[in-house]
Amino acid sequence: MTERERAINQDLHVLDEAHRLGRISRAEYRARRRRVLQSLYDSSGVVTARKTLVPSATTTSRTRRVHAMPSGDTSVDAGRALTSLLSMRPAIAWKPLLAFLAGAALLILVVCWLFVGN
């Protein structure tokens, strides 16, 4: 990481902390962040280092449905962000987990029956 990138990273960290602590509004945070990130562009107009997260089809349809309701409440916005993040989490395979737990319970019952019955 170059010195310029470290300085930009530090600026983003300070900006994020100010927004997180409520010292600046969301709109001001976005405007400042946009200005800081514009300094990452080199002379050819290409961003030096960036990876984009592409949500799955189920995430985008759920997100569109959630964002369809306009609201100025920040707690609702935070809930929407959390819902969006949780929907991108990989799903848990419930059937193998339940089969494993049922097998463990059956094993415990058999062991108890053998030792208590004798």
Side-chain angles (χ1 to χ4, degrees):
M1 187 182 295
T2 66
E3 197 61 38
R4 184 176 121 241
E5 290 170 342
R6 282 192 187 107
I8 290 170
N9 196 18
Q10 180 63 32
D11 290 344
L12 287 172
H13 177 70
V14 170
L15 185 62
D16 180 54
E17 190 168 324
H19 178 257
R20 185 177 50 85
L21 295 176
R23 288 187 246 152
I24 60 175
S25 69
R26 185 177 193 180
E28 185 178 356
Y29 166 76
R30 287 182 173 181
R32 286 186 184 182
R33 182 174 171 264
R34 196 173 299 118
R35 281 191 299 258
V36 170
L37 289 176
Q38 282 177 349
S39 63
L40 271 179
Y41 284 94
D42 60 2
S43 60
S44 66
V46 178
V47 176
T48 55
R50 181 162 120 191
K51 293 183 180 174
T52 311
L53 293 177
V54 179
S56 66
T58 58
T59 304
T60 54
S61 64
R62 184 179 301 166
T63 304
R64 284 186 194 137
R65 188 173 54 239
V66 168
H67 289 296
M69 297 177 288
S71 174
D73 189 12
T74 57
S75 64
V76 172
D77 292 338
R80 287 180 189 152
L82 183 61
T83 300
S84 177
L85 287 174
L86 290 176
S87 65
M88 289 190 287
R89 188 180 64 184
I92 298 173
W94 288 104
K95 288 182 181 179
L97 181 63
L98 289 176
F100 174 76
L101 290 175
L106 183 63
L107 181 65
I108 289 171
L109 287 174
V110 167
V111 168
C112 288
W113 181 69
L114 288 176
F115 286 112
V116 174
N118 292 331

